[in-house]
Amino acid sequence: MLTCTISTKSILKRTLRTIPLFLLSQSTTAMSTTTSSPKSNSSNKAALIFLHGLGDTPAGWTSLSSQLPSMQPSLSTSNIEYVFPPADTIPITINGGMTMPGWFDIFDWPIGVGCKNDEDGLKKAVDSINACVVKLEAKGIQRNRIVVGGFSQGGAVALRAVYQQQQHEQESSDEESKESLPFAACVNLSGWLTFEETNGMNDNVPLLWGHGSYDDKVLFDQQSYGVAKLGEMGVKSVEDSSYPVGHGAHPDEMVAFAKFLDQVLFPKDDSCKE
């Protein structure tokens, strides 16, 4: 099971799922990581794009490609392509302007309801997800078979990419049809809401939102606030749960994650059961 240790002694240990606090310059080289079965051409192929948190790299979460299938065999790499894109290394305001891997800048600490957003950084992060989607579609994996998720900062970006990003104008009717497909689902682990209205096109996309009840970095009330606001915006299916942990992933949360993916990507047909 995936576990998380909150440390005040280290910034970029890959076993951590925590936001760095020290005002130190980080030099981290990260490459986008994709895990899939090389000869799988099934039309039912799906994908999970999962974004790491601030100060982390894809290596912090690539074990999902083995851990999730251990809980739900349907999530094997023969059925799912796992994509773990890297954030750029950027200056972070709460880190005194020193650099570390981050999807966007952070201005307030801890991150509570009403925190200031880095709109330019968020838009750029969403563009990174869109680039991953285009590559997956080129492999024959349609948007409605793609789950977008992330932890902390990554979760905030995932929410925006799925529910708030505006549809891009396309040059052909075929591309318009492809673009209009909704995502399969969204997963937000210990992230937060960064927008006030949805695009109205993905309101039926199911969301899993897990959060640590002792989170003192992305404060726990971000979850109740975000879930309520999304409901007001029209998002219809939100599964939210909390766990006795700080800013990190809990083993039970990973079980719920795997179950959620199995249900949205490989729903069981009970019509023949008596």
Side-chain angles (χ1 to χ4, degrees), residues 32-34 47-51 81 83-86 88 103 122-141 143 146 148 157 161-162 165-166 168 170 178-179 183:
S32 181
T33 303
T34 302
L48 170 66
I49 302 171
F50 196 88
L51 281 66
E81 182 153 340
V83 181
F84 304 93
D88 291 338
W103 295 105
L122 282 160
K123 290 174 183 176
K124 184 178 179 181
V126 169
D127 286 343
S128 296
I129 291 181
N130 290 335
C132 293
V133 171
V134 169
K135 291 179 181 178
L136 289 169
E137 288 175 333
K139 294 181 178 182
I141 302 176
R143 183 179 296 259
I146 299 173
V148 181
V157 175
V162 173
Q165 74 163 347
Q166 298 302 311
H168 302 292
Q170 304 293 328
K178 190 189 302 182
E179 181 71 20
F183 285 106

Side-chain angles (χ1 to χ4, degrees), residues 47 54 161 169 260 268:
L54 178 65
E169 290 187 4
F260 177 78
K268 307 300 185 292

Side-chain angles (χ1 to χ4, degrees), residues 158-218:
L159 286 171
R160 180 172 283 230
V162 173
Y163 298 107
Q164 196 269 340
Q165 74 163 347
Q166 298 302 311
Q167 304 288 43
H168 302 292
E169 290 187 4
Q170 304 293 328
E171 296 180 357
S172 72
S173 58
D174 288 342
E175 288 177 330
E176 286 177 0
S177 176
K178 190 189 302 182
E179 181 71 20
S180 65
L181 288 172
F183 285 106
C186 182
V187 176
N188 170 36
L189 306 182
S190 303
W192 67 98
L193 197 64
T194 64
F195 53 92
E196 295 294 329
E197 61 182 16
T198 70
N199 56 27
M201 302 174 201
N202 290 316
D203 289 350
N204 290 319
V205 174
L207 167 65
L208 176 69
W209 188 323
H211 214 109
S213 57
Y214 304 129
D215 197 333
D216 60 351
K217 296 172 175 60
V218 179

